[in-house]
Amino acid sequence: MWGMIATWRMAFEGVSKGAEMLEAGSNAGDAVEAAIREVEDFPYYKSVGYGGLPNEEMEVELDAAYMDGDTLDVGAVAAIKDYANPVSIARRLSRETVNSVLVGEGAEKFAHKEGFERKNMLTDRAKAFYRKRRKEVAGQELKPYSGHDTVGMVCLDDGGKVTAATSTSGLFMKKKGRVGDSPIVGSGFYADSKVGGASATGLGEDLMKGCISYEIVRLMKEGLHPQEACERAVNLLDAELKERRGKAGDLSLVAMNREGQWGVATNIEGFSFAVALKGQKPKVYLAKRGEDGRCTFEEASREWMEDYMRTRMAPVEE
Ligand code: SD4
């Protein structure tokens, strides 16, 4: 059995590519890396890799991570600038026994020494979004804007290996040096080939408060189906945050176990995700949480898929 699940519609092309690789016998490490690179390279996805939205100082600082569920190796980079594929740097770092999580300049030095491709990741389109945003908030304090998305994936190969990986430009207009959940093991991602994996998107500052990806894998280890595990962990964190802090940020999770069963949970409207399984075509689904806290989903219609691409590629009106 092989399978892949990933956050957001934007992962679809990557998941499709990963699925082809898995079908052809690739391992879950190569497939998840290739799948995330596909998302990083596409300039119209404004929250991951090339074309990602910048921080307050108009710099694109990227976070990414990789975890190998066989060895529990983790590698991550945070606030890295000017490199094309942060996920590949993270995967390379996962093979180090120490110094496997690097930030900023240290991460860039490592990437340079290892010969990773340098690239100015700030596109004209991202600059236009930045200028527009500055105008909208002229005279007010710049606040991070959370309306954009991290790609987080879990991958299972035919040999039973589970991996997880993430990549993001984090919150638009974030402070320089801000690090979200995506490169933090247990929060943005977790993989254990004996159990399964999970990955998150949403407000990093809140996702981290629940170590939510680890929590989901832990619940799966106790025997819960990935759907039950996701719902239980997300609903509990959402409730705890509301009780203690009056509100909860966006929390959306995907998970897959070592049998290829999968689950999702979210506390927002409009969470989309992509799934590929052996013997089935890759699909995009839209999820929502019902009054009872259960998460339901349906396959995205063709109109929805077309509209998504149209809006992603529409000119930026400044
Ligand atoms: C972060 N979790 O940096 C990321 C952002 C994200 O949907 O996923 N937005 O906090």
Side-chain angles (χ1 to χ4, degrees):
M1 181 63 190
W2 59 256
M4 264 184 130
I5 187 164
T7 57
W8 303 111
R9 151 68 186 91
M10 67 180 169
F12 181 66
E13 289 78 12
V15 164
S16 303
K17 180 172 186 167
E20 274 172 30
M21 291 174 67
L22 291 163
E23 182 63 29
S26 282
N27 69 62
D30 293 342
V32 83
E33 180 185 351
I36 296 243
R37 284 176 69 107
E38 192 82 10
V39 190
E40 289 178 335
D41 289 342
F42 189 67
Y44 289 95
Y45 295 147
K46 57 185 196 287
S47 48
V48 176
Y50 185 58
L53 289 176
N55 66 13
E56 219 181 41
E57 299 181 22
M58 221 213 236
E59 300 165 329
V60 182
E61 287 189 332
L62 301 165
D63 297 342
Y66 170 85
M67 183 163 187
D68 179 317
D70 285 353
T71 57
L72 307 181
D73 283 341
V74 173
V77 290
I80 189 171
K81 283 191 296 197
D82 300 329
Y83 278 89
N85 294 109
V87 73
S88 297
I89 305 167
R91 186 175 181 207
R92 169 68 191 80
L93 279 167
S94 73
R95 299 191 190 109
E96 303 288 310
T97 40
V98 290
N99 302 308
S100 51
V101 179
L102 296 177
V103 304
E105 211 188 317
E108 288 152 20
K109 272 195 178 161
F110 174 85
H112 176 68
K113 278 201 200 127
E114 293 292 319
F116 283 95
E117 183 192 346
R118 266 187 199 277
K119 186 166 174 177
N120 180 354
M121 302 297 270
L122 183 64
T123 59
D124 288 343
R125 189 175 171 82
K127 284 186 207 164
F129 277 113
Y130 179 88
R131 287 192 298 268
K132 184 171 179 223
R133 182 72 182 159
R134 277 212 91 106
K135 264 190 237 152
E136 282 165 7
V137 298
Q140 301 168 30
E141 194 200 344
L142 275 176
K143 287 212 182 92
Y145 151 66
S146 59
H148 78 117
D149 319 331
T150 292
V151 62
M153 291 190 190
V154 178
C155 182
L156 163 74
D157 69 25
D158 257 334
K161 180 188 188 73
V162 178
T163 56
T166 59
S167 186
T168 187
S169 53
L171 299 184
F172 182 26
M173 294 292 181
K174 64 189 180 182
K175 293 276 180 220
K176 183 177 174 63
R178 181 259 183 195
V179 177
D181 59 302
S182 308
I184 307 293
V185 60
S187 287
F189 63 98
Y190 199 81
D192 179 345
S193 300
K194 290 185 179 170
V195 184
S199 189
T201 178
L203 183 65
E205 284 75 357
D206 278 1
L207 289 160
M208 285 193 263
K209 294 181 175 81
C211 299
I212 187 107
S213 291
Y214 180 78
E215 177 61 7
I216 288 170
V217 175
R218 193 189 66 76
L219 289 168
M220 293 194 298
K221 194 172 187 172
E222 283 186 359
L224 265 64
H225 185 282
Q227 185 57 34
E228 287 288 325
C230 285
E231 282 174 8
R232 192 181 297 181
V234 168
N235 290 342
L236 187 67
L237 180 57
D238 181 68
E240 289 284 348
L241 292 170
K242 284 179 179 153
E243 181 195 319
R244 294 163 193 238
R245 307 168 62 82
K247 60 180 187 218
D250 294 1
L251 315 169
S252 301
L253 270 293
V254 296
M256 185 172 277
N257 67 14
R258 54 170 286 117
E259 279 86 49
Q261 295 171 314
W262 53 270
V264 295
T266 184
N267 67 351
I268 62 164
E269 284 291 314
F271 174 56
S272 59
F273 59 99
V275 182
L277 287 173
K278 187 174 192 152
Q280 290 176 26
K281 273 196 174 158
K283 285 182 189 155
V284 171
Y285 295 88
L286 304 173
K288 64 169 185 260
R289 183 165 70 165
E291 293 288 311
D292 57 359
R294 302 308 301 256
C295 186
T296 54
F297 35 83
E298 58 184 34
E299 195 179 340
S301 64
R302 182 187 295 197
E303 296 79 67
W304 187 91
M305 293 288 274
E306 286 168 3
D307 190 52
Y308 178 92
M309 261 312 169
R310 222 180 356 259
T311 49
R312 287 309 172 284
M313 297 181 75
V316 189
E317 291 182 17
E318 289 188 61

